[in-house]
Amino acid sequence: MVDFHCHLDLYPKPVAVVNQCKEKQLYVLSVTTTPSAWIGTSRIAKDCPRIRTALGLHPQLAHQRSHELEMFDALISEAKYVGEIGLDGSKDFKPFMEAQLKVFRHILKTVNQAGGRVMSIHSRSSASAVISELATCDCIPVYHWFTGNKSELQQAIASGGWFSVGPSMLSTKKGQELVAMLPRDKVLTETDGPFAQFKGNSLMPWDVDLAFIQLAKIWNLDKNDAIEVIQGNFRRLVSFA
Ligand code: MN
C-alpha cells in the first residue's frame, strides 16, 4: 500500500509510526513543512527504503520561513522528492499571498535548475494560480487533496498532473465527484496524517486502506483491483524520480 502524502514527523511518536510502517511494508512519501525539518525527518526513516522524505516549505509557513530558502537550495541535491509546497488562498493565508508566491517561485526555479522533481503540491483555494506557476517548472506535480472546481481540475489534468487522494477527500460528495473525473492512471493514495482526520481521529499512514475501499466503489472494482491500479501507478511515478 502507498501513502503518498503523510507528515510522519508531526505525529506525537514519529519513530513508533515509522516502525509500524516498516512492519506493514508500507510505501510512504514523508513530506515536510520546512527545510530545517528535512534532515531530522530523513534520519528517522534512514533504515526504511520504502519511506522517502520530501523537502518542503508549506505555503502556510512561507511568510515566516522564507529565510530557509537558502537551506532548501543547499539540500535539493540530496532530496529526490519535493513537498509540501504550493499556495494557500484560504481566508487566513490569503493576506500572505505575496510572500507565498515569492517562496513558491523560488522553489520552482531551484527545482528546475536541479533537473526537476516529483513534487507533492498544496493548492487549497488557489488551484488556478498553482497550475499557472507550475507551467514554468519542468517537474511532475502530484496535487494532494485537490479541492478546486471541476474546470480547474480539468486544467490540472490537461497539464499532466498526478493526484493523491485520501479518506478525508473521498468521504465528501464533492471529493468523490472530483475523483471520478481523474484519469485512473494518474491517481495515488494518501492520508495527510496527522492533520487529516476521519471520523474524529487523526489518520495513520496505514489508514490509507480506507481510500482503497472508497476508490474501489467509485471505479466499480474489487478492492484488490483498486490496490493493483494504485501500485502500478506508484511504480510508474517513482521510475521518474
Ligand atoms: Mn499536508
Side-chain angles (χ1 to χ4, degrees), residues 39-105:
I39 298 170
T41 307
S42 303
R43 200 178 301 133
I44 58 170
K46 71 174 185 331
D47 299 325
C48 310
R50 290 188 182 86
I51 301 177
R52 290 298 167 90
T53 308
L55 177 63
L57 207 172
H58 199 288
Q60 295 178 351
L61 298 175
H63 60 291
Q64 296 166 336
R65 300 297 187 106
S66 58
H67 58 277
E68 290 194 30
L69 284 172
E70 236 174 88
M71 196 186 296
F72 187 99
D73 296 352
L75 292 171
I76 189 70
S77 61
E78 292 175 60
K80 276 193 147 189
Y81 295 85
V82 164
E84 174 165 5
I85 61 164
L87 298 174
D88 192 313
S90 62
K91 190 169 105 292
D92 293 348
F93 298 98
K94 203 173 179 172
F96 307 111
M97 189 48 77
E98 205 177 314
Q100 291 187 47
L101 268 170
K102 234 181 184 169
V103 165
F104 192 36
R105 286 176 180 160

Side-chain angles (χ1 to χ4, degrees), residues 5 7 31 58 84 122 144 192 195:
H5 184 108
H7 299 266
V31 294
H58 199 288
E84 174 165 5
H122 178 108
H144 119 79
D192 200 17
F195 289 124

Side-chain angles (χ1 to χ4, degrees), residues 132-153:
S132 68
E133 293 300 324
L134 285 171
T136 65
C137 187
D138 188 15
C139 62
I140 300 178
V142 182
Y143 292 91
H144 119 79
W145 196 342
F146 191 88
T147 54
N149 60 36
K150 289 181 179 175
S151 94
E152 288 167 328
L153 181 62

Side-chain angles (χ1 to χ4, degrees), residues 110-117 138:
T110 297
V111 167
N112 241 344
Q113 286 167 350
R117 290 290 184 277
D138 188 15

